Structure formats: structure tokens, C-alpha cells
Amino acid sequence: MSRPTELEELVGFLHHGNTQIRQIAAENLVPYSKTQPSIFKNGQLTPIKDLKLLVKDYAPIAKIALTILINISTDPEILKSLSEDDAFLETIMARIT
């Protein structure tokens, strides 16, 4: 088993218990959501699950999480995960209404 790259480690911080660490990780991942969306597909889409939860987090983190999800939703596998998750879609609808 190979060691995770620094970028993969950064993605892992999306589910950290400390709000500031989650925010810093999310902020630093925004550019990679455009250039390397595949980093969010590790471990049975665990980073996607983390991002879905972050949408319910502290408002600045939620905004960043949504930005990342929008950027990576062009990937068919990620789009399917987002569009078939009724609880996530309800959360999104509650946020925008």
C-alpha cells in the first residue's frame, strides 16, 4: 500500500473534527476541484460524502463545499452520487429557499 500524497492527505482533512482545519483544507482544495477532480473520488467517494456533510457546516465552509461540488459535478460518477442522494438534495433546496 502506497503512502497518500500530500493532496490526498489534504482531502482527508475535510472530515477533521476542528472547524478551522476543515475550512483551511476546503479553501486549499478549491483550485484542485477544477484541475484534478479525481482526487475527490478516493475510497468509494468518501471525499464526496464529506463535502455533502460540509454543506450543513458553518456557513463559510458550506459555501466552499458547494463550490467544490459544483466544480466536480461534471464527472458522471460524482454527478450520479449527488443527484441520487435525496437527503443531500433536500439540504441544498433548504439552503436556497
Side-chain angles (χ1 to χ4, degrees):
M1 185 172 192
S2 63
R3 281 180 42 118
T5 66
E6 289 180 0
L7 197 51
E8 289 168 336
E9 287 181 7
L10 184 60
V11 170
F13 284 114
L14 290 174
H15 63 259
H16 195 277
N18 183 303
T19 302
Q20 292 172 320
I21 292 174
R22 287 193 309 271
Q23 183 170 355
I24 290 167
E27 287 171 349
N28 284 287
L29 286 167
V30 170
Y32 297 104
S33 68
K34 294 178 184 177
T35 60
Q36 297 182 46
S38 62
I39 63 166
F40 297 95
K41 293 175 69 172
N42 293 335
Q44 298 180 325
L45 299 180
T46 299
I48 303 304
K49 295 170 189 167
D50 292 338
L51 287 164
K52 288 178 186 180
L53 290 175
L54 290 181
V55 170
K56 300 176 188 178
D57 207 317
Y58 177 62
I61 297 172
K63 182 178 176 183
I64 297 165
L66 277 171
T67 299
I68 293 171
L69 288 169
I70 290 166
N71 290 345
I72 62 178
S73 66
T74 57
D75 179 283
E77 185 179 5
I78 294 171
L79 181 58
K80 182 178 180 189
S81 171
L82 298 174
S83 65
E84 292 180 353
D85 185 337
D86 290 339
F88 171 71
L89 294 174
E90 286 177 24
T91 299
I92 296 296
M93 295 308 282
R95 288 258 183 209
I96 61 174
T97 57

XYZ file of all heavy atoms in Angstrom:
762
model
N 0.856 -1.186 0.000
C 0.000 0.000 0.000
C 0.891 1.235 0.000
O 1.797 1.367 0.819
C -0.899 -0.028 1.237
C -1.894 1.070 1.286
S -3.019 0.741 2.674
C -4.236 1.916 2.311
N 0.647 2.131 -0.919
C 1.484 3.316 -1.024
C 1.016 4.412 -0.074
O -0.135 4.446 0.346
C 1.466 3.834 -2.463
O 0.165 4.235 -2.817
N 1.952 5.276 0.245
C 1.628 6.411 1.108
C 0.756 7.397 0.341
O 0.946 7.610 -0.853
C 2.917 7.135 1.511
C 3.669 6.477 2.611
C 4.927 7.270 2.932
N 4.689 8.704 2.942
C 4.848 9.474 4.010
N 5.254 8.962 5.133
N 4.624 10.773 3.933
N -0.203 8.022 1.028
C -1.021 9.026 0.334
C -0.180 10.253 -0.016
O 0.761 10.600 0.702
C -2.096 9.377 1.359
C -1.597 8.897 2.671
C -0.591 7.828 2.399
N -0.524 10.873 -1.103
C 0.163 12.107 -1.491
C -0.284 13.229 -0.554
O -1.276 13.098 0.174
C -0.181 12.498 -2.940
O -1.582 12.828 -2.999
C 0.144 11.379 -3.924
N 0.433 14.340 -0.596
C 0.046 15.484 0.231
C -1.353 15.963 -0.124
O -2.118 16.365 0.752
C 1.059 16.615 0.067
C 2.393 16.328 0.709
C 3.395 17.443 0.539
O 3.065 18.483 -0.088
O 4.521 17.281 1.026
N -1.689 15.906 -1.400
C -3.018 16.331 -1.837
C -4.094 15.385 -1.299
O -5.144 15.837 -0.826
C -3.060 16.399 -3.359
C -4.190 17.167 -3.999
C -4.331 18.563 -3.410
C -3.978 17.261 -5.495
N -3.822 14.097 -1.317
C -4.769 13.129 -0.758
C -4.918 13.329 0.750
O -6.017 13.202 1.294
C -4.315 11.705 -1.056
C -4.445 11.319 -2.513
C -3.749 10.021 -2.870
O -2.794 9.620 -2.169
O -4.156 9.407 -3.866
N -3.815 13.660 1.417
C -3.886 13.945 2.849
C -4.740 15.182 3.110
O -5.526 15.215 4.055
C -2.484 14.138 3.428
C -1.710 12.849 3.557
C -0.332 13.044 4.161
O -0.003 14.171 4.613
O 0.433 12.071 4.190
N -4.594 16.200 2.261
C -5.387 17.416 2.403
C -6.875 17.105 2.255
O -7.695 17.593 3.036
C -4.946 18.465 1.376
C -5.607 19.831 1.452
C -5.361 20.488 2.806
C -5.091 20.729 0.330
N -7.222 16.274 1.292
C -8.622 15.864 1.105
C -9.133 15.177 2.373
O -10.275 15.385 2.784
C -8.774 14.944 -0.132
C -10.159 14.338 -0.190
C -8.486 15.718 -1.408
N -8.277 14.406 3.024
C -8.659 13.713 4.247
C -9.036 14.653 5.380
O -9.793 14.272 6.284
N -8.544 15.869 5.355
C -8.859 16.835 6.407
C -10.269 17.409 6.288
O -10.720 18.136 7.169
C -7.836 17.979 6.433
C -6.524 17.585 7.042
C -5.374 17.541 6.272
C -6.432 17.268 8.390
C -4.159 17.173 6.826
C -5.223 16.901 8.957
C -4.082 16.856 8.168
N -10.993 17.074 5.228
C -12.360 17.564 5.079
C -13.281 17.038 6.173
O -14.319 17.617 6.439
C -12.928 17.173 3.705
C -12.331 17.893 2.508
C -12.874 17.299 1.213
C -12.590 19.394 2.574
N -12.917 15.936 6.801
C -13.766 15.404 7.873
C -13.112 15.544 9.253
O -13.505 14.870 10.193
C -14.177 13.948 7.585
C -13.026 12.985 7.516
N -12.530 12.561 6.330
C -12.294 12.390 8.471
C -11.520 11.735 6.553
N -11.346 11.614 7.848
N -12.144 16.438 9.349
C -11.464 16.668 10.632
C -12.443 17.250 11.646
O -13.380 17.962 11.290
C -10.285 17.619 10.419
C -9.331 17.629 11.556
N -9.534 18.386 12.685
C -8.172 16.963 11.745
C -8.529 18.190 13.524
N -7.688 17.326 12.978
N -12.240 16.979 12.908
C -13.118 17.464 13.965
C -13.021 18.956 14.229
O -13.949 19.552 14.766
N -11.933 19.580 13.820
C -11.722 21.005 14.059
C -12.246 21.825 12.876
O -11.826 21.618 11.728
C -10.228 21.264 14.274
C -9.912 22.701 14.607
O -10.247 23.603 13.869
N -9.239 22.895 15.727
N -13.141 22.750 13.166
C -13.761 23.571 12.118
C -12.728 24.339 11.308
O -12.822 24.412 10.080
C -14.760 24.575 12.752
O -15.730 23.833 13.473
C -15.445 25.422 11.699
N -11.747 24.923 11.967
C -10.731 25.713 11.260
C -9.927 24.853 10.298
O -9.603 25.287 9.188
C -9.810 26.407 12.251
C -10.510 27.484 13.050
C -9.642 28.037 14.166
O -8.925 27.299 14.835
N -9.713 29.336 14.369
N -9.623 23.638 10.710
C -8.865 22.735 9.834
C -9.703 22.342 8.627
O -9.207 22.324 7.493
C -8.366 21.507 10.616
C -7.296 21.959 11.623
C -7.832 20.419 9.679
C -6.810 20.898 12.564
N -10.990 22.052 8.842
C -11.879 21.730 7.708
C -11.935 22.899 6.730
O -11.886 22.709 5.516
C -13.294 21.400 8.194
C -13.425 20.067 8.876
C -14.870 19.649 9.061
N -15.730 20.639 9.677
C -15.932 20.773 10.982
N -15.317 19.982 11.829
N -16.755 21.692 11.444
N -12.046 24.120 7.269
C -12.147 25.294 6.405
C -10.866 25.505 5.602
O -10.926 25.750 4.398
C -12.471 26.540 7.226
C -12.662 27.770 6.347
C -13.216 28.961 7.111
O -13.554 28.868 8.282
N -13.312 30.078 6.437
N -9.719 25.399 6.250
C -8.445 25.592 5.551
C -8.270 24.527 4.471
O -7.853 24.837 3.349
C -7.273 25.581 6.553
C -7.325 26.846 7.420
C -5.931 25.482 5.833
C -6.425 26.814 8.638
N -8.610 23.291 4.800
C -8.500 22.218 3.805
C -9.403 22.504 2.617
O -8.973 22.428 1.459
C -8.856 20.871 4.441
N -10.647 22.850 2.888
C -11.602 23.122 1.801
C -11.136 24.294 0.936
O -11.174 24.214 -0.294
C -12.990 23.389 2.376
N -10.689 25.370 1.578
C -10.218 26.536 0.828
C -9.078 26.163 -0.113
O -9.028 26.617 -1.257
C -9.745 27.632 1.784
C -10.861 28.347 2.504
C -10.366 29.282 3.607
O -9.169 29.238 3.969
O -11.202 30.048 4.120
N -8.158 25.348 0.382
C -6.998 24.975 -0.413
C -7.310 23.954 -1.497
O -6.523 23.772 -2.420
C -5.877 24.466 0.499
C -5.192 25.605 1.211
O -4.432 26.356 0.610
N -5.479 25.774 2.495
N -8.458 23.308 -1.396
C -8.840 22.308 -2.398
C -9.651 22.876 -3.551
O -9.797 22.217 -4.580
C -9.616 21.178 -1.723
C -8.760 20.233 -0.884
C -9.632 19.346 -0.010
C -7.853 19.391 -1.776
N -10.152 24.085 -3.419
C -10.972 24.664 -4.493
C -10.251 24.643 -5.841
O -10.826 24.183 -6.840
C -11.472 26.083 -4.137
C -12.117 26.758 -5.344
C -12.457 26.021 -2.985
N -9.004 25.102 -5.947
C -8.352 25.078 -7.266
C -8.217 23.666 -7.841
O -8.335 23.470 -9.052
C -6.969 25.683 -7.015
C -7.039 26.350 -5.689
C -8.153 25.704 -4.933
N -8.000 22.685 -6.971
C -7.855 21.301 -7.435
C -9.182 20.709 -7.883
O -9.210 19.750 -8.653
C -7.223 20.437 -6.341
C -5.828 20.893 -6.003
C -5.582 21.612 -4.847
C -4.761 20.637 -6.860
C -4.307 22.059 -4.543
C -3.485 21.081 -6.565
C -3.264 21.786 -5.406
O -1.997 22.233 -5.117
N -10.284 21.290 -7.423
C -11.588 20.791 -7.860
C -11.803 21.083 -9.338
O -12.607 20.424 -9.987
C -12.708 21.403 -7.014
O -12.852 22.789 -7.241
N -11.059 22.045 -9.861
C -11.158 22.365 -11.287
C -10.126 21.596 -12.108
O -10.404 21.197 -13.230
C -10.938 23.861 -11.495
C -12.017 24.721 -10.886
C -11.706 26.183 -11.082
C -12.733 27.050 -10.384
N -12.418 28.465 -10.499
N -8.929 21.408 -11.539
C -7.842 20.813 -12.312
C -7.648 19.318 -12.078
O -7.159 18.631 -12.963
C -6.514 21.524 -12.003
O -6.220 21.389 -10.604
C -6.585 23.003 -12.373
N -8.007 18.826 -10.878
C -7.807 17.410 -10.557
C -9.017 16.840 -9.802
O -8.886 16.378 -8.674
C -6.552 17.238 -9.701
C -5.273 17.650 -10.386
C -4.072 17.414 -9.485
O -3.947 16.364 -8.874
N -3.187 18.384 -9.413
N -10.178 16.865 -10.418
C -11.375 16.399 -9.699
C -11.295 14.944 -9.248
O -11.984 14.540 -8.316
C -12.511 16.615 -10.694
C -11.854 16.710 -12.019
C -10.486 17.267 -11.781
N -10.428 14.163 -9.852
C -10.320 12.747 -9.486
C -9.841 12.549 -8.045
O -10.099 11.492 -7.458
C -9.380 12.017 -10.441
O -8.074 12.561 -10.358
N -9.200 13.556 -7.447
C -8.737 13.400 -6.054
C -9.907 13.264 -5.088
O -9.731 12.801 -3.969
C -7.811 14.540 -5.597
C -8.555 15.873 -5.606
C -6.537 14.579 -6.398
C -7.846 16.984 -4.868
N -11.077 13.658 -5.523
C -12.267 13.584 -4.673
C -12.997 12.249 -4.829
O -14.063 12.056 -4.252
C -13.219 14.741 -4.990
C -12.606 16.081 -4.702
C -11.981 16.799 -5.705
C -12.635 16.615 -3.425
C -11.399 18.037 -5.445
C -12.050 17.846 -3.151
C -11.433 18.550 -4.161
N -12.431 11.330 -5.607
C -13.090 10.049 -5.862
C -12.433 8.894 -5.114
O -12.751 7.749 -5.353
C -13.082 9.771 -7.365
C -13.957 10.750 -8.142
C -13.863 10.564 -9.621
C -14.492 9.287 -10.071
N -14.574 9.167 -11.538
N -11.561 9.179 -4.179
C -10.878 8.128 -3.423
C -11.832 7.412 -2.479
O -12.824 7.978 -2.038
C -9.715 8.718 -2.618
C -8.611 9.238 -3.511
O -8.458 8.785 -4.636
N -7.841 10.172 -3.016
N -11.488 6.182 -2.139
C -12.200 5.439 -1.101
C -13.703 5.418 -1.225
O -14.401 5.836 -0.312
N -14.214 4.943 -2.325
C -15.663 4.861 -2.549
C -16.343 6.212 -2.368
O -17.374 6.340 -1.708
C -16.290 3.812 -1.638
C -15.770 2.419 -1.902
C -16.397 1.389 -0.985
O -16.689 1.650 0.168
N -16.604 0.206 -1.519
N -15.736 7.239 -2.929
C -16.253 8.615 -2.911
C -16.359 9.208 -1.499
O -17.193 10.078 -1.247
C -17.607 8.712 -3.625
C -17.632 8.323 -5.102
C -19.038 8.481 -5.670
C -16.649 9.145 -5.918
N -15.510 8.774 -0.602
C -15.523 9.318 0.764
C -15.414 10.840 0.778
O -16.159 11.498 1.523
C -14.403 8.671 1.611
O -14.643 7.270 1.667
C -14.370 9.246 3.020
N -14.525 11.455 -0.031
C -14.475 12.922 -0.019
C -15.795 13.573 -0.443
O -16.149 14.636 0.063
C -13.354 13.258 -1.000
C -12.480 12.045 -0.998
C -13.445 10.897 -0.837
N -16.532 12.922 -1.333
C -17.830 13.458 -1.760
C -18.799 13.416 -0.580
O -19.536 14.372 -0.325
C -18.401 12.661 -2.959
C -17.434 12.660 -4.138
C -19.769 13.207 -3.369
C -17.020 14.034 -4.633
N -18.778 12.326 0.152
C -19.635 12.213 1.343
C -19.273 13.299 2.357
O -20.155 13.910 2.962
C -19.494 10.818 1.958
C -20.008 9.720 1.060
C -19.635 8.341 1.585
C -19.974 7.281 0.542
N -19.376 5.990 0.848
N -17.964 13.540 2.521
C -17.520 14.594 3.436
C -18.018 15.962 2.978
O -18.502 16.763 3.780
C -15.994 14.620 3.542
C -15.419 13.391 4.226
O -16.154 12.714 4.975
O -14.222 13.119 4.006
N -17.900 16.228 1.684
C -18.350 17.517 1.148
C -19.858 17.698 1.311
O -20.330 18.793 1.606
C -17.941 17.655 -0.322
C -16.448 17.890 -0.555
C -16.085 17.620 -2.010
C -16.041 19.289 -0.133
N -20.610 16.620 1.119
C -22.060 16.696 1.311
C -22.384 17.090 2.749
O -23.302 17.883 2.996
C -22.724 15.359 0.987
C -22.766 15.020 -0.484
C -23.406 13.646 -0.632
C -23.393 13.117 -2.022
N -24.032 11.777 -2.099
N -21.642 16.535 3.693
C -21.852 16.901 5.101
C -21.427 18.339 5.372
O -22.069 19.040 6.158
C -21.077 15.951 6.009
C -21.600 14.522 6.089
C -20.662 13.653 6.921
C -23.000 14.500 6.678
N -20.373 18.787 4.719
C -19.887 20.152 4.938
C -20.879 21.203 4.454
O -20.832 22.346 4.898
C -18.530 20.357 4.262
C -17.350 19.621 4.892
C -16.066 19.933 4.130
C -17.195 19.962 6.354
N -21.771 20.829 3.569
C -22.803 21.757 3.113
C -23.683 22.182 4.296
O -24.277 23.254 4.285
C -23.632 21.123 1.968
C -24.857 21.942 1.641
C -22.760 20.954 0.742
N -23.728 21.354 5.332
C -24.515 21.665 6.534
C -23.673 22.348 7.606
O -24.176 22.666 8.679
C -25.091 20.370 7.126
C -25.987 19.605 6.207
C -26.415 18.316 6.872
C -27.151 17.406 5.922
N -27.516 16.144 6.546
N -22.402 22.550 7.335
C -21.452 23.094 8.309
C -21.601 24.609 8.431
O -22.483 25.219 7.825
C -20.027 22.729 7.852
C -19.021 22.634 8.984
O -19.051 23.517 9.864
O -18.200 21.699 8.977
N -20.726 25.197 9.192
C -20.574 26.641 9.352
C -20.623 27.294 7.968
O -20.036 26.771 7.020
C -19.230 26.842 10.069
C -18.768 28.216 10.321
C -19.495 29.087 11.128
C -17.558 28.655 9.796
C -19.038 30.358 11.380
C -17.096 29.925 10.049
C -17.837 30.780 10.845
O -17.378 32.044 11.088
N -21.343 28.388 7.832
C -21.648 28.984 6.516
C -20.443 29.163 5.581
O -20.538 28.803 4.408
C -22.385 30.305 6.699
N -19.307 29.704 6.049
C -18.179 29.841 5.116
C -17.680 28.494 4.571
O -17.309 28.398 3.405
C -17.092 30.524 5.952
C -17.830 31.238 7.033
C -19.025 30.364 7.329
N -17.704 27.465 5.405
C -17.280 26.138 4.956
C -18.313 25.564 3.995
O -17.962 24.970 2.977
C -17.071 25.187 6.154
C -15.952 25.708 7.059
C -16.754 23.776 5.681
C -15.797 24.949 8.349
N -19.576 25.751 4.298
C -20.645 25.254 3.438
C -20.541 25.851 2.036
O -20.694 25.146 1.034
C -22.003 25.565 4.052
N -20.237 27.131 1.967
C -20.103 27.805 0.666
C -18.944 27.215 -0.143
O -19.076 26.964 -1.335
C -19.882 29.308 0.886
C -19.780 30.092 -0.388
C -19.605 31.569 -0.107
C -19.416 32.320 -1.412
N -19.167 33.734 -1.206
N -17.829 26.973 0.525
C -16.666 26.393 -0.154
C -16.985 24.976 -0.614
O -16.645 24.587 -1.737
C -15.435 26.407 0.781
C -15.035 27.842 1.139
C -14.256 25.689 0.127
C -14.079 27.943 2.321
N -17.648 24.202 0.241
C -18.010 22.826 -0.111
C -18.916 22.807 -1.340
O -18.731 21.989 -2.241
C -18.686 22.133 1.067
N -19.876 23.717 -1.387
C -20.761 23.800 -2.551
C -19.992 24.161 -3.807
O -20.243 23.611 -4.883
C -21.870 24.819 -2.310
C -23.067 24.316 -1.529
C -23.993 25.472 -1.173
C -23.806 23.244 -2.296
N -19.048 25.076 -3.679
C -18.219 25.462 -4.829
C -17.473 24.253 -5.367
O -17.451 24.006 -6.581
C -17.226 26.572 -4.428
O -17.960 27.709 -4.008
C -16.304 26.944 -5.581
N -16.866 23.490 -4.470
C -16.132 22.297 -4.896
C -17.079 21.304 -5.559
O -16.775 20.760 -6.626
C -15.389 21.652 -3.711
C -14.259 22.571 -3.229
C -14.836 20.273 -4.096
C -13.591 22.127 -1.934
N -18.229 21.053 -4.938
C -19.185 20.096 -5.506
C -19.666 20.539 -6.887
O -19.813 19.703 -7.790
C -20.365 19.888 -4.565
C -20.050 19.077 -3.307
C -21.207 19.145 -2.318
C -19.731 17.631 -3.665
N -19.897 21.815 -7.057
C -20.301 22.318 -8.380
C -19.187 22.071 -9.390
O -19.432 21.595 -10.498
C -20.679 23.815 -8.312
C -21.987 23.979 -7.547
C -20.753 24.427 -9.707
C -22.294 25.404 -7.134
N -17.956 22.381 -8.992
C -16.822 22.209 -9.909
C -16.622 20.757 -10.333
O -16.264 20.492 -11.477
C -15.530 22.729 -9.270
C -15.506 24.230 -9.141
O -16.299 24.940 -9.748
N -14.600 24.733 -8.329
N -16.829 19.819 -9.422
C -16.544 18.416 -9.739
C -17.769 17.652 -10.239
O -17.663 16.487 -10.609
C -15.901 17.689 -8.532
C -16.831 17.655 -7.334
C -14.565 18.320 -8.182
C -16.281 16.920 -6.129
N -18.909 18.304 -10.276
C -20.138 17.614 -10.693
C -20.173 17.305 -12.188
O -21.100 16.642 -12.646
C -21.376 18.415 -10.294
O -21.433 19.627 -11.010
N -19.175 17.725 -12.932
C -19.110 17.368 -14.350
C -18.702 15.909 -14.537
O -18.916 15.343 -15.601
C -18.132 18.271 -15.115
O -16.855 18.174 -14.490
C -18.602 19.718 -15.123
N -18.143 15.311 -13.486
C -17.778 13.902 -13.531
C -19.053 13.060 -13.381
O -19.800 13.248 -12.423
C -16.798 13.591 -12.392
C -16.389 12.132 -12.366
O -17.205 11.301 -11.899
O -15.273 11.830 -12.802
N -19.321 12.137 -14.313
C -20.571 11.368 -14.259
C -20.779 10.590 -12.956
O -21.900 10.536 -12.443
C -20.453 10.413 -15.453
C -19.478 11.057 -16.370
C -18.540 11.830 -15.504
N -19.733 9.986 -12.413
C -19.867 9.215 -11.183
C -20.221 10.117 -9.999
O -21.075 9.784 -9.175
C -18.560 8.457 -10.889
C -18.634 7.548 -9.697
C -17.330 6.804 -9.442
O -16.322 7.065 -10.130
O -17.326 5.965 -8.532
N -19.599 11.276 -9.951
C -19.880 12.232 -8.874
C -21.279 12.805 -9.040
O -22.038 12.913 -8.071
C -18.808 13.335 -8.836
C -17.447 12.733 -8.435
C -19.214 14.461 -7.881
C -16.273 13.664 -8.555
N -21.643 13.160 -10.256
C -22.976 13.693 -10.513
C -24.052 12.693 -10.104
O -25.051 13.067 -9.489
C -23.124 14.061 -11.990
C -24.466 14.655 -12.393
C -24.769 15.924 -11.598
C -24.494 14.930 -13.882
N -23.828 11.427 -10.400
C -24.787 10.392 -10.009
C -24.913 10.334 -8.489
O -26.020 10.271 -7.951
C -24.349 9.035 -10.558
C -25.308 7.925 -10.238
C -24.870 6.611 -10.846
C -25.893 5.547 -10.480
N -25.498 4.226 -10.820
N -23.782 10.392 -7.794
C -23.796 10.367 -6.324
C -24.585 11.543 -5.763
O -25.332 11.388 -4.793
C -22.359 10.395 -5.793
O -22.349 10.586 -4.406
N -24.430 12.700 -6.363
C -25.132 13.898 -5.892
C -26.614 13.840 -6.228
O -27.470 14.121 -5.382
C -24.512 15.155 -6.510
C -23.051 15.430 -6.167
C -22.544 16.621 -6.970
C -22.862 15.654 -4.683
N -26.926 13.473 -7.457
C -28.318 13.537 -7.918
C -29.201 12.437 -7.344
O -30.422 12.573 -7.337
C -28.370 13.505 -9.443
O -27.906 12.266 -9.933
N -28.615 11.355 -6.863
C -29.404 10.254 -6.318
C -29.506 10.291 -4.798
O -30.111 9.408 -4.202
C -28.813 8.912 -6.773
C -28.968 8.693 -8.270
C -28.397 7.370 -8.748
O -27.747 6.654 -7.960
O -28.601 7.056 -9.933
N -28.944 11.309 -4.184
C -28.959 11.427 -2.722
C -30.063 12.401 -2.313
O -29.867 13.615 -2.274
C -27.592 11.916 -2.240
C -27.466 11.958 -0.732
O -28.494 12.039 -0.033
O -26.324 11.927 -0.251
N -31.234 11.853 -2.012
C -32.394 12.694 -1.694
C -32.167 13.593 -0.486
O -32.579 14.752 -0.490
C -33.636 11.829 -1.467
C -34.141 11.185 -2.753
O -33.816 11.694 -3.842
O -34.849 10.172 -2.663
N -31.506 13.078 0.533
C -31.250 13.892 1.735
C -30.354 15.078 1.391
O -30.590 16.207 1.850
C -30.613 13.045 2.831
N -29.347 14.839 0.551
C -28.460 15.926 0.124
C -29.242 16.962 -0.684
O -29.102 18.168 -0.471
C -27.290 15.370 -0.691
C -26.457 16.435 -1.339
C -25.630 17.253 -0.586
C -26.508 16.631 -2.704
C -24.870 18.247 -1.180
C -25.751 17.617 -3.315
C -24.924 18.429 -2.546
N -30.067 16.491 -1.607
C -30.846 17.412 -2.439
C -31.815 18.242 -1.590
O -31.997 19.436 -1.840
C -31.601 16.643 -3.528
C -30.711 15.973 -4.580
C -31.548 15.119 -5.513
C -29.901 17.001 -5.345
N -32.405 17.626 -0.574
C -33.280 18.371 0.332
C -32.496 19.447 1.076
O -32.991 20.565 1.271
C -33.948 17.417 1.325
C -35.049 16.577 0.701
C -35.647 15.577 1.685
O -35.566 15.813 2.917
O -36.204 14.575 1.223
N -31.281 19.112 1.492
C -30.419 20.086 2.179
C -30.126 21.269 1.266
O -30.214 22.423 1.679
C -29.103 19.424 2.628
O -29.395 18.374 3.543
C -28.172 20.433 3.278
N -29.797 20.970 0.029
C -29.492 22.039 -0.954
C -30.719 22.916 -1.169
O -30.629 24.141 -1.163
C -29.037 21.442 -2.302
C -27.725 20.687 -2.144
C -28.909 22.509 -3.377
C -26.566 21.550 -1.731
N -31.871 22.292 -1.338
C -33.096 23.057 -1.571
C -33.437 23.926 -0.366
O -33.864 25.076 -0.518
C -34.257 22.117 -1.902
C -34.068 21.360 -3.196
S -33.684 22.410 -4.600
C -35.286 23.039 -4.951
N -33.220 23.404 0.834
C -33.492 24.190 2.048
C -32.549 25.386 2.140
O -32.950 26.452 2.616
C -33.344 23.308 3.279
N -31.336 25.232 1.664
C -30.357 26.325 1.705
C -30.703 27.456 0.738
O -30.417 28.598 1.009
C -28.954 25.795 1.372
C -28.357 24.958 2.443
C -27.361 25.773 3.187
N -26.687 24.974 4.196
C -26.233 25.506 5.294
N -26.348 26.783 5.516
N -25.628 24.762 6.174
N -31.288 27.096 -0.395
C -31.515 28.129 -1.420
C -32.922 28.716 -1.380
O -33.210 29.659 -2.098
C -31.199 27.608 -2.844
C -32.078 26.429 -3.219
C -29.741 27.271 -2.963
C -31.905 25.977 -4.652
N -33.778 28.156 -0.551
C -35.138 28.715 -0.485
C -35.346 29.491 0.794
O -34.607 29.470 1.706
C -36.208 27.606 -0.596
O -35.988 26.645 0.429
C -36.178 26.977 -1.949
